Amino acid sequence: MLNKETITKRFKSIQDSICERLEQCDGLATFEQDLWERDGGGGGRTRVIQNGNVLEKGGVNFSAVHGKMPAIIAKELGTGDAQFYATGVSIVLHPINPFVPIIHMNIRYFEMSNGVKWFGGGIDLTPHYVVEEDAKYFHEALKEICNKHSKSYYDEFKEWADNYFYITHRNETRGIGGIFFDRLQPTDDYSLQQRFEFVVEVGELFAPLYTTLVNKHRNKPYNEANKAWQHIRRGRYVEFNLVYDRGTKFGLETNGRIESILMSLPTNASWVYNHQVTPDSEEEKTLKLLRKGINWA
Amino acid sequence: MLNKETITKRFKSIQDSICERLEQCDGLATFEQDLWERDGGGGGRTRVIQNGNVLEKGGVNFSAVHGKMPAIIAKELGTGDAQFYATGVSIVLHPINPFVPIIHMNIRYFEMSNGVKWFGGGIDLTPHYVVEEDAKYFHEALKEICNKHSKSYYDEFKEWADNYFYITHRNETRGIGGIFFDRLQPTDDYSLQQRFEFVVEVGELFAPLYTTLVNKHRNKPYNEANKAWQHIRRGRYVEFNLVYDRGTKFGLETNGRIESILMSLPTNASWVYNHQVTPDSEEEKTLKLLRKGINWA
């Protein structure tokens, strides 16, 4: 029967293989690893890549932590003094070339001493310039693996991502979305093993999906205006992560390892007062596509 | 008797005189004004300066809004369906030269239809490089005006600022603090008029205080390493404003004018994974001084 040791081991090997494939793709930079331990139980392997050929900054982090439930979650879940175990892989990559998208992926497993177990995760893409063909490719790949596991997964998790990766105060989505899911428990229809196989497939899809998009755009020439726009879009990414992202907020509130949590923030981000895009520009086209409910696949 | 019209008019004139003095000091850039109206009542004059000789980006904003209390404040204050009136001036300035500090100032007045009235505000300084002499000068100036109004103001409001302008997840203060105060109501010891006179003096101190520090450092040469450090410190400023600042959070949650609220964010900010300062460097010295409880005055 599936247990946390098996899940943890598999998540570690997913981190390994993703790092290997990203290093091959980048061709210059390699991941720097920091091992850390958590007061209260467990720890992680933070791996950060910086100043590569393609990747300006990013992290592929693994952690497996356990102990007494932090008060803030115990309260939310109404579980009292339970013990918990949580493991996951979490990725954010910021490329140098503005025509290569930012990407985020996360897979996670959580169990409590009261017997509750679930998986969560997601992948979403944040192009500085939305290319409709890429968005279709990205969503179709996600839909394909979702469909292998459940007819309802894609529609449900795509909508969840639209709602989750949303910058309310800007009235715009963070990017073109993807899938997001949480608290996938075993049910009559899906065993824990089946939930696990789905989550593993999400993890394994990440590297081929992203490197395809990287390789498509990595050599596209760009100018200062494209970089300036990239930095403004990164500013929105910072806004999302610091204001809304549950994982980030949770990490900050529970005294998590700050450098691992905030590895998601870019080397450079920019804010320009009341920035307006030029009518009919690529930037304007992108803004028009940063909304919920677009049926990409 | 002091009324909201008098307070509003005075706050507007403080905005005018600060903008005038900052333009004189900068010598190149001028403020661009956007007038805006609030659905539900009132509006503001947002004034932003960008790409000057000294000032890279900043805002000196005035607003006066009124109407039905937003649900979120009504809940916090337990006031039910009261009407409110709020007016204030809010400033953040990001200089180009890393040896010139970032500054923030805010004065505000709030009243409700149930008769409750109060003032709030504060000034705090965020040097990229802490200069002890400047910190002493800054705090002594604040202490001097506080002492004119109350023997207890400086100690109380200085401690309040230490606690308020604190980046918990970094275990560091935003800068060298200053004063912060809120809900200054009329009491047996202080009339509303006396509270007002204190707040006006805080507003009037701002321009001479900041331009003195600007003029002291504006011509100091700096290099790429100093700029890189400035951008990292600005990253911390972004973290504070998006994660902790009550005014920012309140504005985002109550659908305020986003461009006016987020004018506080810098043109460029940077995040470097696990950045470490060189031992015995100026950067290390600064980090050691970013803590609560330093008795500068």
Side-chain angles (χ1 to χ4, degrees), chain B residues 224-266:
Chain B
E224 283 302 304
N226 302 135
K227 281 302 279 186
W229 175 247
Q230 179 186 43
H231 288 181
I232 289 170
R233 297 312 309 164
R234 286 178 177 176
R236 301 297 169 93
Y237 209 87
V238 171
E239 289 177 25
F240 178 83
N241 281 26
L242 294 180
V243 177
Y244 301 105
D245 186 60
R246 284 207 296 251
T248 304
K249 287 164 84 85
F250 173 73
L252 298 183
E253 284 165 5
T254 57
N255 204 18
R257 185 177 183 263
I258 293 307
E259 290 299 329
S260 302
I261 298 163
L262 298 185
M263 66 81 186
S264 63
L265 304 182

Side-chain angles (χ1 to χ4, degrees), chain A residues 7-271:
Chain A
I7 296 165
T8 304
K9 198 175 157 192
R10 190 64 178 267
F11 280 7
K12 274 188 171 175
S13 84
I14 288 172
Q15 183 198 32
D16 287 336
S17 79
I18 288 172
C19 288
E20 195 182 323
R21 295 194 63 165
L22 288 174
E23 286 181 354
Q24 281 168 8
C25 175
D26 187 81
L28 172 65
T30 56
F31 282 91
E32 169 193 345
Q33 173 169 288
D34 282 327
L35 299 176
W36 54 272
E37 287 185 7
R38 176 176 170 275
D39 291 347
R45 306 194 302 205
T46 292
R47 292 191 187 157
V48 170
I49 193 163
Q50 295 187 88
N51 307 316
N53 278 327
V54 174
L55 298 172
E56 185 165 305
K57 184 183 174 193
V60 178
N61 296 348
F62 163 84
S63 65
V65 299
H66 59 86
K68 188 170 164 289
M69 288 266 275
I72 193 170
I73 324 184
K75 195 179 163 192
E76 191 187 329
L77 300 175
T79 53
D81 263 354
Q83 299 285 307
F84 80 101
Y85 182 89
T87 183
V89 176
S90 184
I91 303 174
V92 172
L93 299 171
H94 290 280
I96 297 170
N97 189 315
F99 296 109
V100 176
I102 305 164
I103 198 162
H104 158 257
M105 194 278 277
N106 171 242
I107 49 176
R108 56 187 180 273
Y109 171 72
F110 182 76
E111 67 172 48
M112 290 183 284
S113 49
N114 64 7
V116 171
K117 302 171 181 195
W118 68 60
F119 288 97
I123 307 190
D124 79 299
L125 193 74
T126 305
H128 311 96
Y129 290 94
V130 176
V131 178
E132 287 164 282
E133 186 184 73
D134 292 352
K136 189 169 162 22
Y137 164 79
F138 182 77
H139 275 275
E140 282 176 351
L142 294 175
K143 187 174 186 173
E144 190 183 329
I145 63 153
C146 284
N147 284 349
K148 283 169 62 179
H149 296 268
S150 162
K151 282 181 183 160
S152 69
Y153 275 0
Y154 177 74
D155 286 351
E156 190 185 336
F157 299 164
K158 191 271 187 197
E159 188 182 347
W160 205 339
D162 275 358
N163 291 323
Y164 182 79
F165 299 108
Y166 189 70
I167 307 173
T168 308
H169 64 267
R170 297 287 188 180
N171 292 316
E172 64 188 35
T173 52
R174 177 163 88 169
I176 56 129
I179 56 173
F180 184 89
F181 48 92
D182 203 6
R183 303 196 188 180
L184 297 191
Q185 300 186 36
T187 62
D188 291 346
D189 294 327
Y190 308 99
S191 67
L192 192 70
Q193 179 69 35
Q194 285 171 315
R195 300 292 203 187
F196 178 52
E197 285 164 12
F198 167 65
V199 166
V200 164
E201 198 149 4
V202 170
E204 290 178 345
L205 176 67
F206 175 81
L209 190 58
Y210 189 57
T211 55
T212 300
L213 293 171
V214 166
N215 290 331
K216 184 175 172 193
H217 298 293
R218 63 191 294 168
N219 295 318
K220 186 165 178 181
Y222 58 84
N223 58 29
E224 282 302 305
N226 303 134
K227 281 302 281 186
W229 175 247
Q230 179 187 43
H231 288 181
I232 289 170
R233 297 313 309 164
R234 286 177 176 175
R236 302 296 169 92
Y237 209 88
V238 171
E239 289 177 26
F240 178 83
N241 281 25
L242 294 180
V243 177
Y244 301 105
D245 186 61
R246 285 207 296 249
T248 304
K249 286 163 84 83
F250 173 73
L252 298 183
E253 285 164 3
T254 57
N255 204 16
R257 184 176 183 264
I258 293 307
E259 289 299 329
S260 302
I261 298 162
L262 298 185
M263 66 80 187
S264 63
L265 304 183
T267 308
N268 293 295
S270 177
W271 285 269

Side-chain angles (χ1 to χ4, degrees), chain B residues 117-129:
Chain B
K117 302 169 181 196
W118 68 59
F119 288 97
I123 308 191
D124 78 301
L125 193 74
T126 306
H128 311 96
Y129 291 93

